[in-house]
Amino acid sequence: MLNENSINRQKLASDDILDDAFHDLCKRFKNRGDHHDIWHLRFHWKTQKEKIKNNILAGRYQLSPVIMKKAHQQTIQVWSADDTLVLNSLRILMRRYLKEVGLNKFCHHGAAGKKMGHVIVAGIKEYSFQVRIQLQNFYASVNHKTLMAILRKHIKDTWVLKLLQQYLHHLQDDAGQLKYCQRGLYKGSSLSSLLAGLYLQNLDELFENQVIENTQNSTEHLTEKNGPVYFRWRDQYVYFCHEQNHFNEILTNMNTLLDQLDLKIDRHKSHLGLCKVENREVSFKYLMNESVNEKIVLEIKEKILKEQSINKQAAKELSIKEQAHVAG
C-alpha cells in the first residue's frame, strides 16, 4: 500500500514534475508540424505553466475531447498539448511512487522478449507441465470499473482519481461524431502502459506466490531439481512446474482471477498441459476435474486426438510402403 499522500494534486502541480513532463514532451514532439499546438505551449511555457498549475490546484482542469485520426491504416488518438503535458506529469508521478508494487515488470523492451524465448525453450525441455498464455486483446479488454477500483486502493486524492476517470472515459471526436470510450486503454500512451501493469498486478502476484510456495531450490538455471518458474512479457505469461497438483492449482486460480478481471485467453496462442510430446496422450487424464475450465480440457483433448490420428496415418502409410518393398 502506498502512502496516502504519494499521489495528489499538489505534487502533480509541482514545478519539478511539470518541468520534467514538459522537457519530455518537447523531445517527443520536436518534429511536429507548424500547426501543432505544441509550439504554442513551448513559446508561452511560463504563462501556460502557471495557468495549468492553478487549474490543477483548484481542481478545475478538464481534459479536452480526443481527436481521432487515420494514419497508416490505423486510428490514432491525438490529445491536445496541454492534456498530454498533464497526463505525462501524472505518468511521471505514478511511476515514481508505484515501482514498489511491481509495475516495472510490465516490460516492453526487446531484452525481455528474448528472455521469454529462452525460458520457453528451456522450460519445455526440463519441466513436465506448462502454462503458456497470451491474453486476448488485452488493452482493448481492460474494464474501467475494475481498474478504477484498483486505483482507489493506492490513490486517495479524489481529484486525481477524477482525472484518471476522465482519461479512461474520455470523449472521442471522430470526424465530428462524439462518443465516450467505454472500455479499454489506448496502446500509444505511456500512461496506459503504466495502468496496464497495475491492472495485471494481482495476476503477477498469483504466479509469483505459486513459485515461492512451491520452490525448494534456486530457479536461476532450469533443471529437473528446480521448483516452478514464471516469467511475463507484456501480456504473455509462462509458468513451468514438475508436479501435477501445482499445475492444477495455478490453472484453477488463474481462471478465477481472469474472470474477476474480465479478461480472456487467446486459445490459439496459448498452451496448457504436458511439455513433452511423447507424454501428451495422457495429458487430459489429470485435467478432468471440476476445478479446471471444461473448454480448456476439450481443446487439449482435441489436439491430442488430432496428433494421434496424424501419427496413425503416418504409421499406416509407412507400413504400406514397407509391404510393397518386400513384395517387390
Side-chain angles (χ1 to χ4, degrees):
M1 176 64 68
L2 298 174
N3 188 317
E4 293 186 2
N5 298 319
S6 295
I7 304 174
N8 54 48
R9 73 177 80 175
Q10 287 76 24
K11 292 189 177 181
L12 182 63
S14 62
D15 288 333
D16 63 324
I17 294 292
L18 290 176
D19 287 337
D20 286 348
F22 174 70
H23 293 310
D24 179 71
L25 195 64
C26 291
K27 290 180 182 178
R28 291 193 289 120
F29 285 11
K30 63 180 181 180
N31 295 322
R32 291 297 189 269
D34 296 341
H35 299 289
H36 199 284
D37 57 352
I38 184 61
W39 302 113
H40 180 270
L41 180 66
R42 292 186 66 170
F43 293 148
H44 305 280
W45 171 234
K46 290 184 178 180
T47 305
Q48 290 297 106
K49 176 182 175 181
E50 291 301 318
K51 181 180 177 181
I52 293 172
K53 180 190 296 187
N54 293 334
N55 285 334
I56 291 176
L57 292 174
R60 294 194 303 264
Y61 192 89
Q62 295 285 330
L63 297 178
S64 304
V66 181
I67 307 300
M68 310 297 290
K69 291 186 177 181
K70 298 288 185 179
H72 306 291
Q73 299 180 345
Q74 292 183 342
T75 301
I76 62 174
Q77 297 182 350
V78 181
W79 297 81
S80 70
D82 289 357
D83 289 349
T84 305
L85 174 75
V86 173
L87 294 175
N88 203 20
S89 300
L90 183 58
R91 174 189 64 83
I92 294 173
L93 183 62
M94 289 185 65
R95 176 168 290 178
R96 185 174 296 181
Y97 290 99
L98 290 177
K99 282 185 178 180
E100 62 187 78
V101 296
L103 291 181
N104 55 323
K105 297 172 188 174
F106 200 74
C107 301
H108 284 269
H109 47 84
K114 293 179 181 179
K115 185 177 179 181
M116 170 73 85
H118 166 74
V119 171
I120 291 175
V121 172
I124 291 177
K125 182 179 179 180
E126 301 293 344
Y127 283 84
S128 302
F129 305 98
Q130 62 176 323
V131 176
R132 289 192 285 148
I133 64 170
Q134 166 95 40
L135 299 179
Q136 186 176 28
N137 298 325
F138 168 61
Y139 271 93
S141 302
V142 171
N143 187 302
H144 291 172
K145 291 184 178 180
T146 303
L147 179 55
M148 286 304 301
I150 295 172
L151 289 169
R152 290 189 188 97
K153 296 179 181 179
H154 302 285
I155 302 174
K156 301 304 178 182
D157 190 299
T158 55
W159 184 84
V160 174
L161 289 171
K162 288 181 180 179
L163 181 64
L164 285 165
Q165 180 67 51
Q166 284 187 60
Y167 171 72
L168 295 176
H169 195 61
H170 59 267
L171 187 62
Q172 300 175 343
D173 183 353
D174 189 358
Q177 295 184 350
L178 300 177
K179 62 178 181 179
Y180 283 99
C181 176
Q182 302 292 340
R183 189 184 184 90
L185 295 171
Y186 176 57
K187 285 185 178 181
S189 169
S190 55
L191 180 58
S192 292
S193 176
L194 203 66
L195 296 176
L198 185 58
Y199 196 79
L200 293 176
Q201 181 192 354
N202 289 341
L203 194 57
D204 283 332
E205 291 179 352
L206 171 65
F207 282 95
E208 288 174 351
N209 293 336
Q210 189 79 11
V211 169
I212 293 172
E213 291 175 2
N214 299 320
T215 298
Q216 297 179 353
N217 300 310
S218 172
T219 58
E220 183 178 357
H221 303 288
L222 305 182
T223 66
E224 292 185 357
K225 295 182 179 180
N226 288 334
V229 63
Y230 146 73
F231 186 77
R232 172 165 75 84
W233 183 55
R234 297 185 182 179
D235 55 353
Q236 303 175 45
Y237 287 80
V238 295
Y239 174 87
F240 292 99
C241 62
H242 290 295
E243 302 295 331
Q244 172 183 332
N245 60 327
H246 295 166
F247 173 80
N248 288 337
E249 183 180 356
I250 192 65
L251 206 61
T252 302
N253 295 333
M254 181 187 71
N255 286 330
T256 301
L257 189 53
L258 287 175
D259 288 339
Q260 294 174 1
L261 295 174
D262 201 12
L263 296 175
K264 295 181 180 180
I265 296 175
D266 190 332
R267 305 295 181 185
H268 300 289
K269 299 180 180 179
S270 302
H271 304 275
L272 305 166
L274 286 175
C275 295
K276 298 178 182 179
V277 177
E278 59 269 21
N279 293 330
R280 284 186 179 177
E281 58 266 76
V282 297
S283 64
F284 61 89
K285 292 181 180 179
Y286 57 80
L287 290 172
M288 297 302 295
N289 60 74
E290 297 179 356
S291 61
V292 180
N293 191 312
E294 184 178 355
K295 290 183 179 180
I296 296 176
V297 175
L298 294 176
E299 288 178 5
I300 293 176
K301 187 174 181 179
E302 184 178 348
K303 288 182 180 179
I304 294 169
L305 294 175
K306 186 176 180 180
E307 288 182 1
Q308 289 178 342
S309 177
I310 294 174
N311 292 335
K312 287 181 180 179
Q313 182 65 27
K316 184 177 180 181
E317 292 177 358
L318 181 61
S319 177
I320 293 175
K321 289 181 180 179
E322 291 177 348
Q323 292 177 5
H325 179 71
V326 172

